[in-house]
Amino acid sequence: MANISIIIPTYNERDNVVLLIEQIVKLLPNSKILIVDDNSPDGTAEVLRNLKIPNLTVFVRNERGLGSALRYGIKKALELETEFIVTMDADLSHDPIYLPQMTKIAIEGKYDLVIGSRYINGGGIENWPLSRRIISRGANYLFRLISHSPLNDNTSNYRVYSRKAALLALDCETANGYEFQICSIFKIIKSNLKVIEYPIIFKNRKLGKSKLRISEILNWFLYIIKLSLSS
């Protein structure tokens, strides 16, 4: 059995993440679950610590940012000698039902990166407004154009990394927000590692608020320009 760690960044997700963890424990009972909480004022960390789940560790930081939280979690997972690292959202948009198959593909197929993809046959999105669909599709098209990525969904945070791919992702030291996803893909495909997409249905959150702001979208597109100049 491979050593698997699951990294879940959180900020004000107490209404979602408990349900998520309960499902993960049923599907992958031997995996380590690492929560990286950005000091949520809603008490997310306290709620999780009260669960008393043996393989659950909660880290609380006094900073915010998806990319920096993912790097923090990846570093902690690598310290645990993890062979494969899963990243996923806390808001139940990433259904844990896909975890067994995605990790199996990574392990048995010896893939360095398995992407939970919304944009291949069998994948899709539920209950997203048209504006979000246009932004997501446009962002993926632009990144593929610049980077020559073979992947259809480069912005999905539902992933399984090998140790080799995770170490490359840590090179994205300045990608502290949503741009971490494309930076890590960029590093991995430029290193000719083995990647594959697995179809998922992305479900828009039912509880809580999205953390995606206009400023995050602008930072993302500015980062794309930086990548294009460096490629």
Side-chain angles (χ1 to χ4, degrees):
M1 179 67 69
N3 188 343
I4 298 169
S5 289
I6 302 172
I7 300 167
I8 307 172
T10 58
Y11 185 75
N12 288 347
E13 292 290 358
R14 62 178 294 167
D15 294 327
N16 292 307
V17 73
V18 171
L19 294 173
L20 174 63
I21 289 171
E22 289 173 348
Q23 293 176 46
I24 291 172
V25 169
K26 292 177 182 178
L27 292 164
L28 290 180
N30 297 317
S31 63
K32 298 179 180 69
I33 304 172
L34 309 182
I35 302 294
V36 183
D37 184 70
D38 287 356
N39 202 16
S40 298
D42 74 343
T44 296
E46 289 78 8
V47 169
L48 291 173
R49 284 170 175 154
N50 288 333
L51 293 178
K52 307 298 183 184
I53 295 175
N55 290 340
L56 173 64
T57 305
V58 181
F59 300 99
V60 178
R61 313 184 311 150
N62 289 314
E63 59 182 293
R64 286 187 63 183
L66 177 63
S68 61
L70 290 170
R71 284 200 310 274
Y72 184 95
I74 288 171
K75 288 176 183 176
K76 293 297 182 183
L78 290 172
E79 289 172 6
L80 297 172
E81 299 185 355
T82 297
E83 296 172 79
F84 292 92
I85 298 172
V86 176
T87 63
M88 62 191 304
D89 294 346
D91 60 5
L92 297 173
S93 57
H94 294 154
D95 195 328
I97 196 69
Y98 302 116
L99 281 173
Q101 190 61 25
M102 286 176 65
T103 52
K104 182 180 179 181
I105 289 170
I107 296 165
E108 296 183 0
K110 297 183 179 179
Y111 282 95
D112 291 292
L113 181 65
V114 179
I115 294 275
S117 178
R118 300 159 290 183
Y119 300 133
I120 60 172
N121 188 35
I125 298 171
E126 290 184 356
N127 302 320
W128 247 15
L130 180 60
S131 59
R132 286 292 299 272
R133 291 175 184 268
I134 291 171
I135 290 170
S136 180
R137 282 284 192 179
N140 271 286
Y141 175 79
L142 181 60
F143 179 70
R144 290 183 69 195
L145 187 66
I146 289 170
S147 68
H148 306 292
S149 170
L151 302 170
N152 293 282
D153 195 344
N154 296 274
T155 57
S156 171
N157 185 45
Y158 203 174
R159 303 179 174 186
V160 183
Y161 294 88
S162 69
R163 284 186 66 87
K164 189 185 298 184
L167 286 167
L168 285 173
L170 289 182
D171 287 341
C172 298
E173 295 178 354
T174 61
N176 293 322
Y178 288 85
E179 65 270 18
F180 179 83
Q181 280 101 326
I182 56 167
C183 176
S184 51
I185 290 286
F186 189 79
K187 299 280 186 182
I188 289 166
I189 61 175
K190 292 301 179 183
S191 297
N192 295 315
L193 298 190
K194 193 176 179 183
V195 300
I196 192 172
E197 293 179 270
Y198 182 82
I200 65 163
I201 301 298
F202 180 97
K203 301 176 181 178
N204 196 26
R205 66 162 61 240
K206 294 181 180 179
L207 300 172
K209 296 181 180 179
S210 171
K211 313 304 185 298
L212 185 64
R213 297 168 292 181
I214 294 297
S215 59
E216 293 277 5
I217 296 171
L218 291 174
N219 286 336
W220 193 95
F221 280 103
L222 287 173
Y223 200 86
I224 278 281
I225 294 170
K226 291 179 182 178
L227 281 181
S228 68
L229 295 174
S230 66
S231 62

